[in-house]
């Protein structure tokens, strides 16, 4: 773990205001500790320095964002724009936009990055950071794994209700097979947002891991509305366009 620790430290201090002070802080705190403990302590310091920890709203956004990154990573890493769209489904974060989320991601540049070769998806620099997040989400973090899945599930439903519509790609001929539609991939990219693509594919996964039981205050009502309305047909249409219709079996 020494290489990862050093690499992470260098990435962090390269934009530090006082590099000598921060290097001394990290080195003095790293003595006589197990390598993994040293690494997790470094991750913790980086996370805590990403926002003003004295500002409650900033703390809540940071922790919700890290939870969303963690629970979506195994499905499909999301861009800052998509992550902000899912956060806004929670009324606490209704003013979080792409710029505000990107500002946090930039502050976390020592542990996450925007993959320019992967359409700007936010990825972790090393899998050990996901292990750190899992540990934090399960032990006293301000949000837990179930809450993170609930936030993503709510965001998926909100996105589908808002964006699903008939002939979402504006195809001029409904008699052609998808494989015969010219430039279908470009049409999907232009008309089916990243958030909608993710939502149609993974909403049921987040529901199954959210701890919701289907009671009156849980997910039964919004899911039933979705699946018994014309929105269900539009959902199937998007799955068909993405060539994953089999995922409709939930």
């Amino acid at each position: 773990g020494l290489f990862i620790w050093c690499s992470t430290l260098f990435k962090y201090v390269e934009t530090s205001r006082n590099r000598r002070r921060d290097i001394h802080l990290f080195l003095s705190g790293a003595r006589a500790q197990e390598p993994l403990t040293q690494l997790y302590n470094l991750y913790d310091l980086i996370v805590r320095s990403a926002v003003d920890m004295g500002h409650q709203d900033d703390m809540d956004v940071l922790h919700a964002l890290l939870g969303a990154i963690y629970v979506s990573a195994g499905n499909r890493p999301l861009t800052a724009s998509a992550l902000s769209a899912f956060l806004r489904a929670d009324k606490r974060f209704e003013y979080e936009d792409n710029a505000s989320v990107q500002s946090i991601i930039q502050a976390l540049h020592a542990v996450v990055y925007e993959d320019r070769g992967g359409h700007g998806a936010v990825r972790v620099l090393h899998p050990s950071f996901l292990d750190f997040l899992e540990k934090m989400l399960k032990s006293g973090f301000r949000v837990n794994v179930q809450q993170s899945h609930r936030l993503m599930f709510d965001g998926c439903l909100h996105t589908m209700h808002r964006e699903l519509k008939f002939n979402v790609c504006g195809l001029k001929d409904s008699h052609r097979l998808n494989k015969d539609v010219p430039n279908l991939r470009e049409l999907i990219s232009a008309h089916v947002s990243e958030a909608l693509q993710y939502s149609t594919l993974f909403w049921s996964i987040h529901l199954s891991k959210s701890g919701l039981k289907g009671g009156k205050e849980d997910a039964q009502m919004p899911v039933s509305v979705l699946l018994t309305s014309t929105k269900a047909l539009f959902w199937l249409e998007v799955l068909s366009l993405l060539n994953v219709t089999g995922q409709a079996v939930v």
Side-chain angles (χ1 to χ4, degrees):
L2 182 59
F3 175 81
I4 302 168
W5 187 88
C6 291
S7 175
T8 304
L9 175 59
F10 290 156
K11 284 185 175 66
Y12 177 73
V13 299
E14 69 182 356
T15 57
S16 172
R17 184 188 66 82
N18 190 328
R19 297 182 183 182
R20 289 174 60 85
R21 177 202 62 195
D22 288 345
I23 290 175
H24 174 74
L25 173 66
F26 286 123
L27 291 178
S28 63
R31 298 170 183 167
Q33 293 179 339
E34 293 295 326
L36 190 60
T37 301
Q38 293 183 29
L39 184 60
Y40 281 5
N41 286 344
L42 177 57
Y43 285 159
D44 183 61
L45 284 169
I46 291 170
V47 166
R48 286 192 288 110
S49 67
V51 298
D52 177 8
M53 299 305 283
H55 198 300
Q56 185 66 50
D57 290 346
D58 286 349
M59 290 173 62
D60 290 343
V61 173
L62 171 65
H63 294 145
L65 177 61
L66 290 173
I69 290 173
Y70 173 76
V71 299
S72 64
N75 300 326
R76 175 192 289 180
L78 295 165
T79 64
S81 177
L83 286 167
S84 65
F86 287 117
L87 288 180
R88 287 195 299 274
D90 188 318
K91 290 184 178 181
R92 295 175 300 163
F93 311 129
E94 61 182 328
Y95 298 113
E96 295 302 319
D97 58 15
N98 185 29
S100 65
V101 170
Q102 275 192 319
S103 69
I104 297 178
I105 292 170
Q106 290 169 1
L108 293 169
H109 71 278
V111 288
V112 300
Y113 70 103
E114 291 183 271
D115 185 0
R116 297 306 176 187
H119 307 291
V122 178
R123 301 180 185 274
V124 298
L125 281 163
H126 194 271
S128 59
F129 185 64
L130 288 179
D131 297 335
F132 165 78
L133 289 181
E134 180 180 27
K135 180 176 181 290
M136 293 297 97
L137 290 168
K138 290 182 176 179
S139 59
F141 212 43
R142 295 190 66 85
V143 295
N144 59 39
V145 175
Q146 284 191 344
Q147 289 172 333
S148 298
H149 280 292
R150 174 63 188 267
L151 181 146
M152 290 299 295
F153 168 67
D154 289 343
C156 287
L157 281 188
H158 180 78
T159 299
M160 289 191 290
H161 278 294
R162 185 180 68 251
E163 298 186 21
L164 284 176
K165 62 180 181 180
F166 175 72
N167 193 16
V168 66
C169 284
L171 302 181
K172 296 180 180 179
D173 186 352
S174 61
H175 296 90
R176 288 183 176 182
L177 297 175
N178 287 343
K179 65 182 181 65
D180 297 327
V181 177
N183 303 319
L184 180 60
R185 184 172 298 180
E186 288 78 6
L187 288 171
I188 293 172
S189 179
H191 297 282
V192 185
S193 71
E194 179 194 5
L196 181 57
Q197 291 185 40
Y198 184 94
S199 298
T200 57
L201 290 169
F202 301 114
W203 68 267
S204 61
I205 291 178
H206 291 302
L207 171 59
S208 68
K209 297 180 179 180
S210 67
L212 298 173
K213 304 299 183 183
K216 291 183 179 179
E217 297 180 356
D218 282 350
Q220 187 179 39
M221 184 73 70
V223 170
S224 64
V225 170
L226 172 70
L227 296 181
T228 58
S229 68
T230 54
K231 294 285 187 180
L233 298 177
F234 305 155
W235 169 54
L236 292 173
E237 179 188 357
V238 174
L239 291 179
S240 175
L241 291 168
L242 298 176
N243 197 30
V244 288
T245 312
Q247 291 196 214
V249 183
V250 296

